[in-house]
Amino acid sequence: MTNVPPAGDADAGIDLPYRPCVGITLVNRDGLVFIGRRRKEGGPEHVSGDFSWQMPQGGIDAGEDPRAAAIRELYEETNVGEGSLRFLAEAPDWLPYDLPPDVMKQAWKGRYRGQTQKWFAFGFLGQDSEIDVERPGAGRFRSEFEDWRWAPLDELAGLIIPFKRPVYESVIASFSGLARWHARS
């Protein structure tokens, strides 16, 4: 039995912790950002109606450095290795979001109220052929995306599940000047 209050409770999960997580903004040479379409079975914290696109993200292991976690998670979700990355920036703050009460009961076995995310931006030095969302890590990792594409950073907030939108708006503001990173290199 979890200690999550019933759906509709305004204080649902307020005493629960946030799950520490990283988010990754991967920017190609044209200034576009990687977005993946989450698999439908990805769960209610990721997929809802037309809002199934997101940037890579994932949990931080105990004792793991957040930047190292970002590089690991990116590889586990996209097959993009550290050798194809150039570090560009780190968002200045941790960005939390709360899950809606009905989703909170289902996600992470009801142990967290949401996530607090540290975001990193990397320039992509590789070729598109390196990206493999169907069999990341040569099939060693579970595929979390069913499709992917490059998109302008400023369009991403409209593609993400609505309860994560404020986080994406903050990420867009933090990384808006990075679109021309390759030209400046």
Side-chain angles (χ1 to χ4, degrees), residues 89-104:
E90 177 179 333
D93 300 310
W94 286 83
L95 303 171
Y97 70 82
D98 289 337
L99 294 167
D102 58 325
V103 175
M104 190 183 310

Side-chain angles (χ1 to χ4, degrees), residues 3-4 12 15 20 23 55 62-63 66 71 83 89 93 97 101 108 118 156 164-165:
N3 61 352
V4 177
D15 293 329
M55 291 182 277
I71 293 167
D93 300 310
Y97 70 82
W108 310 298
K118 188 60 158 171
L156 300 186
K164 292 183 183 179
R165 196 162 289 149

Side-chain angles (χ1 to χ4, degrees), residues 110-184:
R111 294 178 303 185
Y112 301 102
R113 68 186 287 180
Q115 294 192 66
T116 184
Q117 301 178 321
K118 188 60 158 171
W119 280 83
F120 297 88
F122 295 96
F124 180 52
L125 302 171
Q127 301 298 315
D128 285 4
S129 59
E130 180 180 346
I131 298 171
D132 185 354
V133 298
E134 291 293 322
R135 299 188 68 245
R140 290 192 318 267
F141 304 106
R142 181 177 60 88
S143 175
E144 297 192 25
F145 297 119
E146 62 186 16
D147 197 7
W148 72 275
R149 64 186 170 100
W150 298 107
L153 180 66
D154 61 359
E155 291 180 8
L156 300 186
L159 301 173
I160 189 69
I161 198 163
F163 61 82
K164 292 183 183 179
R165 196 162 289 149
V167 168
Y168 270 53
E169 289 167 348
S170 293
V171 169
I172 291 166
S174 292
F175 297 154
S176 65
L178 299 177
R180 298 190 45 80
W181 72 272
H182 193 263
R184 295 190 302 258

